[in-house]
């Protein structure tokens, strides 16, 4: 079945059988009060506001039979997959691998690294563990999309200007059509949220399309 979403810069057409919902890094350490993100002084409510619309989108995508893919950013316990260029960023007192409020920060298997309860993956849904900001780098995402015949991605998650942007840019270079749901992606910085979304749809949709969840839900109904 084909459908069309009212979007910027023009309607986004998609086929349900070749489209996947991608949910990026909705992990406790980024989104929950008391997590790593808040410890750094960020206001997590700016990220948490994506949870209700994203939950609706997830339910609708599941009901429509869309392929659902969740990602988690994180590293091996020995940090062998975390280059110094990443490890040495951020607050010196709280870096990847250090003990954080919800376990070792961004380490696979730790409580804070996992996806929030509200958006917990179903047992048969795909969870991609990624060491980078982008969802393609050092993961099997491209193979997975090819195997499933996916050509379009509906992109959600956090944070807009970091992991969402990196993923959408990589996806666009690889030939995927991306619709970013504007109220289902979040940033700790309101100015980055606005600019990040505009950068995607500007110049005739240089990286893809943007639309609120409502428009996507209407297209699925
Ligand atoms: C960050 C992400 N911000 N998921 N990760 O480090 O955007």
């Amino acid at each position: 079945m084909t459908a069309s979403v009212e979007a910027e810069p023009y309607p986004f057409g998609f086929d349900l059988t070749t489209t996947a919902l991608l949910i990026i890094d909705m992990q406790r350490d980024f989104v929950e009060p008391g997590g790593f993100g808040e410890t750094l002084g960020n206001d997590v409510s700016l990220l948490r506001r994506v949870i209700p619309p994203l939950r609706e989108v997830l339910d609708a995508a599941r009901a429509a039979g869309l392929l659902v893919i969740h990602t988690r950013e994180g590293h091996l316990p020995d940090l062998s997959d975390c280059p110094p260029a990443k490890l040495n960023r951020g607050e010196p007192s709280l870096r990847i691998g250090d003990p954080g409020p919800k376990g070792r920060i961004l380490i696979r298997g730790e409580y804070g690294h996992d996806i929030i309860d509200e958006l917990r993956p179903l047992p048969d849904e795909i969870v991609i563990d990624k060491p980078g900001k982008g969802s393609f780098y050092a993961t099997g995402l491209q193979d997975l999309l090819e195997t499933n015949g996916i050509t379009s991605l509906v992109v959600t998650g956090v944070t807009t200007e970091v992991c969402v942007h990196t993923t959408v840019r990589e996806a666009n270079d690889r030939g995927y059509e991306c619709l970013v749901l504007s109220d289902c992606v979040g940033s700790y910085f309101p100015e980055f949220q606005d600019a990040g979304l505009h950068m995607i749809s500007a110049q005739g949709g240089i990286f893809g399309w943007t639309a609120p969840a409502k428009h996507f839900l209407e297209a699925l109904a």
Side-chain angles (χ1 to χ4, degrees):
M1 178 197 132
T2 55
S4 176
V5 181
E6 190 188 333
E8 292 293 334
Y10 54 84
F12 172 79
F14 69 105
D15 189 311
L16 286 173
T17 59
T18 57
T19 301
L21 173 66
L22 185 60
I23 305 180
I24 297 177
D25 300 357
M26 290 299 291
Q27 295 161 255
R28 296 190 178 107
D29 255 335
F30 292 125
V31 175
E32 285 196 348
F36 173 50
E38 190 175 77
T39 309
L40 291 178
N42 294 306
D43 175 3
V44 290
S45 71
L46 294 170
L47 265 50
R48 293 189 67 74
R49 65 169 67 144
V50 314
I51 298 171
L54 180 44
R55 177 69 226 207
E56 265 193 84
V57 165
L58 176 57
D59 287 346
R62 283 172 175 163
L66 285 190
L67 184 71
V68 176
I69 304 168
H70 306 255
T71 72
R72 295 184 296 204
E73 180 179 354
H75 297 277
L76 298 170
D78 66 1
L79 295 174
S80 57
D81 60 352
C82 187
K86 185 173 185 191
L87 190 59
N88 296 335
R89 300 279 84 79
E91 289 286 324
S93 56
L94 266 184
R95 287 192 167 157
I96 295 168
D98 288 345
K102 293 177 189 277
R104 289 183 68 202
I105 292 162
L106 292 191
I107 297 298
R108 294 182 192 172
E110 299 286 337
Y111 182 73
H113 169 263
D114 211 354
I115 293 168
I116 58 173
D117 292 339
E118 295 92 323
L119 301 170
R120 186 186 298 125
L122 295 177
D124 62 340
E125 283 173 355
I126 297 152
V127 179
I128 301 250
D129 279 314
K130 63 185 182 65
K133 279 121 183 141
S135 301
F136 290 91
Y137 171 68
T139 72
L141 181 57
Q142 171 111 29
D143 282 349
L144 181 89
L145 297 177
E146 281 173 9
T147 305
N148 285 279
I150 298 297
T151 55
S152 297
L153 298 171
V154 176
V155 184
T156 63
V158 298
T159 62
T160 308
E161 76 280 12
V162 184
C163 292
V164 170
H165 242 266
T166 307
T167 297
V168 168
R169 288 167 186 242
E170 286 184 324
N172 178 257
D173 276 347
R174 289 164 191 253
Y176 296 98
E177 308 282 22
C178 293
L179 171 67
V180 177
L181 297 184
S182 51
D183 47 355
C184 295
V185 294
S187 170
Y188 298 123
F189 304 94
E191 67 275 27
F192 293 169
Q193 172 78 0
D194 291 346
L197 287 168
H198 193 216
M199 277 183 213
I200 289 164
S201 64
Q203 304 183 71
I206 190 141
F207 295 123
W209 289 256
T210 62
K214 178 171 166 281
H215 292 178
F216 179 61
L217 293 169
E218 282 164 5
L220 279 188

